[in-house]
Amino acid sequence: MERELRLYFIRHGETQYNIERRMQGFCDSPLTENGILQAKSVGAGLVDVPFEAAYASDSQRVLDTAKFALGTRNIKITKDARLKEMNFGMLEAMLQTDIITEHGDILERLFSFKDVESKVQDGESFTELLNRTNAAVADIIAAHRDTGGNIAVFSHGVTIGYLMKSLLNTDGFPHHDNCCVSVILVKDGQIMVEKVADASFRDSGKLTLSMEN
């Protein structure tokens, strides 16, 4: 008999490129001090959730977030490149101001979702992003369907946001701030979205940590 399975999708903490407002997809930059605090905070906010397993994108910012969030929990982190951020191709690591100067409204057009097959040069489309994300999620669900429980999935803002957008079949794009959490319930072969871009775990955890110090 299938047991209830919950997947907690957690965006990585703030990074150096986030602060500099650079385009960060496949490229990487380290967590800031605030990003590390956010990761520890979301971990503290999720302390009462007994995770059976943890999965993470193979980007270092996500692996570090997972490490700080899970803390002393004895949980192996399984890396999966399919959970990576969208590949922004020629725009990778560019300042957003420079993108506008050199390429006009390219990002506005991409994130209008009018053509989910379109992509920037050397990048990937939303369809390609969703296909690999869905494949990773399907494998995670299959691996834990019989045992059920709670699974932590550490990933990226656009990757998680577009997955939630597709599951909810909504026009809007749910922006995920650093270390926000989205939750899906898998039950009786159905997937239900329970939380989207929820900052409460991170914020309550930050309060808990400040009281402990």
Side-chain angles (χ1 to χ4, degrees):
M1 188 176 117
E2 280 189 17
R3 298 177 182 272
E4 282 191 8
L5 182 66
R6 277 185 176 82
L7 272 55
Y8 287 72
F9 292 89
I10 304 156
R11 187 194 171 196
H12 62 80
E14 179 189 77
T15 68
Q16 190 59 39
Y17 277 7
N18 289 158
I19 286 181
E20 294 173 9
R21 298 189 66 75
R22 290 183 184 274
M23 207 65 198
Q24 186 175 231
F26 270 32
C27 70
D28 210 2
S29 69
L31 296 181
T32 62
E33 285 301 313
N34 183 48
I36 292 169
L37 175 60
Q38 289 172 333
K40 290 178 177 177
S41 296
V42 76
L46 291 165
V47 71
D48 292 330
V49 180
F51 288 117
E52 307 297 326
Y55 294 81
S57 149
D58 62 358
S59 294
Q60 196 59 49
R61 63 187 182 274
V62 173
L63 292 169
D64 287 344
T65 298
K67 181 184 71 176
F68 285 119
L70 293 172
T72 57
R73 296 192 201 220
N74 186 25
I75 299 176
K76 176 177 174 283
I77 299 167
T78 302
K79 289 192 279 187
D80 192 330
R82 296 173 298 178
L83 295 169
K84 277 174 88 95
E85 183 59 293
M86 190 173 190
N87 184 354
F88 294 108
M90 65 176 180
L91 305 181
E92 291 280 345
M94 282 185 69
L95 289 166
Q96 290 190 19
T97 49
D98 289 345
I99 291 172
I100 293 166
T101 301
E102 295 178 32
H103 303 285
D105 64 349
I106 189 169
L107 286 177
E108 229 173 88
R109 282 184 280 120
L110 185 69
F111 282 90
S112 71
F113 305 108
K114 286 177 181 165
D115 181 6
V116 293
E117 305 296 338
S118 69
K119 62 179 100 172
V120 302
Q121 185 183 323
D122 301 323
E124 65 182 333
S125 68
F126 279 108
T127 298
E128 289 168 335
L129 170 67
L130 185 61
N131 284 343
R132 65 172 166 84
T133 310
N134 275 337
V137 171
D139 284 352
I140 293 169
I141 291 171
H144 300 279
R145 181 178 279 123
D146 294 338
T147 50
N150 305 296
I151 311 297
V153 183
F154 294 89
S155 187
H156 305 259
V158 178
T159 302
I160 301 170
Y162 197 65
L163 175 65
M164 295 303 136
K165 175 178 165 64
S166 72
L167 289 171
L168 292 166
N169 194 24
T170 179
D171 290 336
F173 181 79
H175 170 73
H176 283 67
D177 197 11
N178 296 109
C179 286
C180 276
V181 181
S182 286
V183 183
I184 64 170
L185 168 66
V186 184
K187 185 180 179 182
D188 301 326
Q190 302 294 312
I191 293 178
M192 287 160 277
V193 178
E194 291 190 331
K195 294 181 186 295
V196 178
D198 187 346
S200 67
F201 295 106
R202 179 197 67 198
D203 295 346
S204 66
K206 185 177 181 182
L207 192 62
T208 301
L209 291 179
S210 68
M211 289 165 68
E212 288 174 355
N213 294 333

